[in-house]
Amino acid sequence: MDIQPKASHFIQGTYVEDNNGTPIDVIYPATGEVMGRVYSATPEIIEQAIVSAKSAQVAWAKLSGGERGRILRRAADIIRERNYDLSVLETYDTGKPLSETLCADATSAADALEYFGGLAGSITGEHIPLGDGNWAYTRREALGLCVGIGAWNYPTQIACWKAAPALACGNAMIFKPSETTPLCALKIAEILLEAGLPAGLYNVVQGSGDVGAALVCDPRIDKVSLTGSVPTGRKVYAAAAAGMKQVTMELGGKSPLIIFDDADLENCVSGAILANFYSTGQICSNGTRVFVQKGIKDAFLNRLCERLDSAIIGDPQDEATNFGPMVSERQLALVLGFIKKGKAEGARLVTGGNRIAGGGFYLQPTIFAEVTDDMSIARDEIFGPVMSVLDFEDEADVIARANATEFGLAAGVFTTDFSRAHRVTDRLQAGTCFINSYNDAPVEVPFGGMKMSGIGRENSKEAILHYSHVKSVFVRMGKMESPF
Ligand code: NAD
């Protein structure tokens, strides 16, 4: 497959190039080979993207929600028809195995476009009766021009989780993918245009943090939605605050997964595997602090290691592979650094821990046991296939330890005692909690973090609130009363 895009940026319905920008190599994580090249957006490209989006948004916001929604739903259909090709591209961009990308990436992008396309006609205000026959009504209005900034782990999904609600509400969007995965968002831009989206409403510009920062600081931008790390979130939130801009911040996590000793063994092992090794552990909501109650610990670790032995690590384009490389040499080095710290700080390495020889960025799935709360591998987001198993005995104690983190993205509980499951989730400080499950993210359900993990919610009807203003209109039916 030739993955080199026609040009780096997609503006006003067409590919645009400016090779005065800094070159960005597109590296295939499975081999380390350079597969293509794009160029970072220059100030001229950023200007073109803003002018084009700003002007397209005016007419778009005047359409009915139903008209806007029809285009989004058509885009969802095209994405589903091309799922295979889009999944192959996602695998080249990220290294995630095709067995995953075929069911988790373009499909979830299509889900978002379909859902928000369906919802677009129902974005309405309310009628508020007041005294003396007076009344008011509210309208939900578009914010204007939104900037989406993506992380590299789910480039297609992130592009659409932001674009779908933004466009449904009548906004335009400029999307800047991560510099590590520049390809997939360009395909989404092509498909939206093909589905009938007027040119300029979804522009894609490439670049690193400097391009993101230039967009966030521009006074013509009304809203910023970032998916990224907490340190980047702090910078972007501060820059947006200076211009009093709306934000959605989808940031990192270090989520707890609590396994009580009455849990179904096979089920909680499956949960822990999904919560740590899917997408080679590169998922923000992963349950990387696995608290295991004393009575089930040995059985849990034994079964986990047996199941890990059957992981098929290899060529991500082979559908039999279910564990692929990490996204980049840099990310691999960061994770190896954490593994070194885990060993140095006294955790027991149960399995894995090494880079797998060859040209790609492969790392063995890694498990540490006897991890304590103060260790770096229990405190910091690793963003790789490293599970930390921590021991616990008492329910109140594990809740306190689970919450003793600056993050608050997700949390999971495995138990067959349903009263306990609800009692515990009631006290967990996390935007999404899972009971006997992990990492489900259907578009109908709000997704986002508490504490340092973020602001606002993506998906569901909640996202509409973050991509629209409410305007109140007071209507007096009688005469005004005035003091003089
Ligand atoms: P990152 O923070 O390094 O970069 C994210 C994006 O921000 C990139 O596009 C980058 O170019 C851009 N950026 C960097 N500095 C910027 C600045 N000053 N102004 C504007 N934009 C800037 O994150 P990453 O390494 O790409 O992704 C991994 C992180 O993303 C992890 O922390 C992970 O938890 C988080 N993440 C969160 C979610 C979620 O929904 N909560 C989902 C996926 C990933």
Side-chain angles (χ1 to χ4, degrees), residues 196-273:
L197 190 75
L201 282 166
Y202 185 74
N203 293 334
V204 176
V205 299
Q206 308 290 350
S208 304
D210 56 332
V211 172
L215 286 166
V216 173
C217 294
D218 193 286
R220 290 164 292 180
I221 304 300
D222 300 291
K223 185 211 161 102
V224 182
S225 175
L226 168 76
T227 299
S229 61
V230 170
T232 302
R234 275 206 185 94
K235 285 187 223 160
V236 173
Y237 195 11
M244 210 58 82
K245 292 171 189 174
Q246 310 255 350
V247 296
T248 300
M249 294 280 144
E250 291 289 355
L251 309 177
K254 187 75 192 176
S255 300
L257 173 58
I258 304 173
I259 296 173
F260 286 96
D261 55 17
D262 65 345
D264 177 279
L265 181 66
E266 220 51 54
N267 214 27
C268 67
V269 169
S270 298
I273 289 173

Side-chain angles (χ1 to χ4, degrees), residues 128 130-131 134-138 471-477 480:
I128 304 164
L130 299 165
N134 297 326
W135 53 285
Y137 63 94
T138 60
K471 178 187 275 178
S472 303
V473 182
F474 181 93
V475 184
R476 181 173 295 281
M477 302 301 284
M480 286 291 298

Side-chain angles (χ1 to χ4, degrees), residues 150-153 176 179 212 227-229 232 250-252 284 381 383 447:
W152 43 256
N153 59 342
K176 189 203 82 63
E179 58 276 27
T227 299
S229 61
T232 302
E250 291 289 355
L251 309 177
C284 51
E381 182 182 47
F383 223 60
F447 181 80

